[in-house]
Amino acid sequence: MADTTRWNDLTVWETSGFLRFLHEHHIDVNDLLESSSYEEEARRFVRLKHTGINNDGIKDSVDTLLHSIAAYVLARETAEGGNDSSQGVMPQAVKWLPGFYSLPLSVPISQVGLYQDGRMYGIDVSSGYAVSLLDIQPGEHVLDLCCAPGAKLTMIADLLRLQGSVTGVDYSRSRLSACRRLVHKYQLVRVEVEAADVAWRCRLFHADGRVFNIGPKTECGGTNGLEVLLDTHEVAARAPKDRKRKRKNKSARARDAKQQHVMKVDPALYDKVLVDAECTHDGSIRHLQRLNTAVKWETYVHDHLNSSEVDRILTLQHDLIRSGFNLLRPGGTMIYSTCSLSTKQNEDIVSRFLADETLAKLDPIARGEDVPCQQGKLRGTLRFTPSHNTSGLFIARIRKISTELPVITKRG
């Protein structure tokens, strides 16, 4: 059995080649090493679901959360024969991000009633802040281009108040299946509406985000290289029949998928787009902490940080940001983010895109006084790092310039 080591062992980082990767990608090692306090102070983050809940209901949810945690701690302390230490593990509101609360890692959210009931979900505050910067309004159409495993899509639907639409796309079918389970758990499917009712729609596509070109109002089943994993309009329309119909076997579903085709193309584009692109995950502290042996570090560097794999990721990121922008309406807003701290995967990708795309304009993000992040190396972008006790995340906000000329009305 391999000897275990601390995840932030510099000797292991050097021998595995991780330090070389950090240097080549202009990553400040202190942004990771200063997170040594993370292990003592680390807290997980959750967001309370707001859709369908009034202010009194939200207060009740907070009270329920407090009572659930207190009950869990009391049961644990009783079992261990210790003293009640509930005060140290009580949820703390994130003052700079409404609806978010933090809990110690020692408290499993799976034991909290609100989580089990689908009224609370886990999502890191850095990801939540990225979604909040889209300023999503009910009735808008939002595209989540790399949506799995689904926490950000859940938050988007909550901000939309189930009015408008959210479309999720991901290349990993297994991760997208997990996203579909979240859609049902958090009741993002309104089975009471008819298929013709366009008040709310949630769709999940198993597709390559680089070539995805389905607008928010295009009616489609599936085409080559694209599979509709979920469409709430379809679910709502067939819900009464499903209670009487036996579940189709795998071969029958496969035949149906082959028969699907695009039915009606609509030129409408998305109001907001989120591109949380695939990356090398070097800023994800949870990911790095799982590398607790020298062998795991060597495998991670060899398989995921080699030059050919990094080149593939850089090309993918460039294609994804362009694909997302092509589906954004004039005047719309796009967020590009990664959980890497690499300048090449973040600022360089955005700078190159802005230089190539004349209709794209960087929308500078003003850093809030209490927000635990720092300015990116490209002015107007933001970086969360593990040294701030959050997951690492780079965020850039881009607007598509409207080409429409203003209408001038003559007086008199």
Side-chain angles (χ1 to χ4, degrees), residues 321-333:
I321 193 173
R322 182 168 297 280
S323 177
F325 189 77
N326 288 340
L327 289 166
L328 182 67
R329 69 165 176 81
T333 302

Side-chain angles (χ1 to χ4, degrees), residues 101-343:
Y101 295 82
S102 68
L103 301 170
L105 290 178
S106 60
V107 178
I109 63 173
S110 60
Q111 302 298 318
V112 178
L114 287 177
Y115 176 81
Q116 297 170 347
D117 297 341
R119 290 184 288 162
M120 179 185 82
Y121 50 94
I123 177 173
D124 193 81
V125 284
S126 58
S127 295
Y129 192 64
V131 173
S132 73
L133 290 173
L134 282 170
D135 190 26
I136 293 170
Q137 301 298 318
E140 291 184 327
H141 300 290
V142 184
L143 172 64
D144 187 353
L145 196 55
C146 304
C147 67
K152 295 184 295 296
L153 183 135
T154 301
M155 180 175 172
I156 290 171
D158 201 20
L159 293 173
L160 286 170
R161 299 293 191 265
L162 301 190
Q163 300 174 47
S165 73
V166 59
T167 299
V169 180
D170 207 276
Y171 191 66
S172 170
R173 198 181 194 285
S174 60
R175 284 166 55 84
L176 198 60
S177 295
C179 187
R180 178 171 58 180
R181 288 193 291 271
L182 287 186
V183 168
H184 287 284
K185 176 179 179 178
Y186 293 103
Q187 301 177 15
L188 306 185
V189 178
R190 291 168 51 184
V191 297
E192 74 276 9
V193 301
E194 297 296 330
D197 187 347
V198 296
W200 169 246
R201 192 174 202 176
C202 175
R203 297 182 298 175
L204 298 179
F205 289 92
H206 175 219
D208 186 343
R210 297 172 296 180
V211 295
F212 182 78
N213 61 354
I214 304 298
K217 298 182 180 180
T218 293
E219 297 291 342
C220 69
T223 59
N224 291 335
L226 181 149
E227 176 188 7
V228 183
L229 208 61
L230 181 141
D231 185 341
T232 54
H233 275 192
E234 181 185 341
V235 172
R238 71 169 189 257
K241 300 177 183 178
D242 277 351
R243 299 189 184 98
K244 303 177 182 179
R245 185 172 57 191
K246 291 184 178 180
R247 186 180 182 88
K248 288 186 177 181
N249 60 39
K250 188 174 182 180
S251 60
R253 293 197 301 272
R255 287 196 301 270
D256 286 350
K258 291 181 180 179
Q259 295 172 358
Q260 293 175 338
H261 59 280
V262 173
M263 298 167 57
K264 181 181 178 182
V265 176
D266 190 288
L269 298 173
Y270 295 91
D271 300 295
K272 308 287 172 62
V273 173
L274 173 64
V275 181
D276 188 22
E278 180 184 344
C279 65
T280 52
H281 305 291
D282 52 84
S284 173
I285 195 69
R286 301 280 174 82
H287 174 81
L288 298 182
Q289 286 181 327
R290 290 197 292 266
L291 306 177
N292 58 358
T293 68
V295 173
K296 289 182 179 179
W297 271 105
E298 291 169 1
T299 302
Y300 167 58
V301 173
H302 179 271
D303 293 349
H304 301 286
L305 304 185
N306 64 76
S307 58
S308 60
E309 175 64 9
V310 170
D311 287 343
R312 182 194 70 82
I313 288 176
L314 291 173
T315 300
L316 173 63
Q317 291 167 340
H318 180 265
D319 292 343
L320 286 173
I321 193 173
R322 182 168 297 280
S323 177
F325 189 77
N326 288 340
L327 289 166
L328 182 67
R329 69 165 176 81
T333 302
M334 177 175 73
I335 289 290
Y336 172 81
S337 63
T338 80
C339 64
S340 170
L341 301 180
S342 163
T343 301

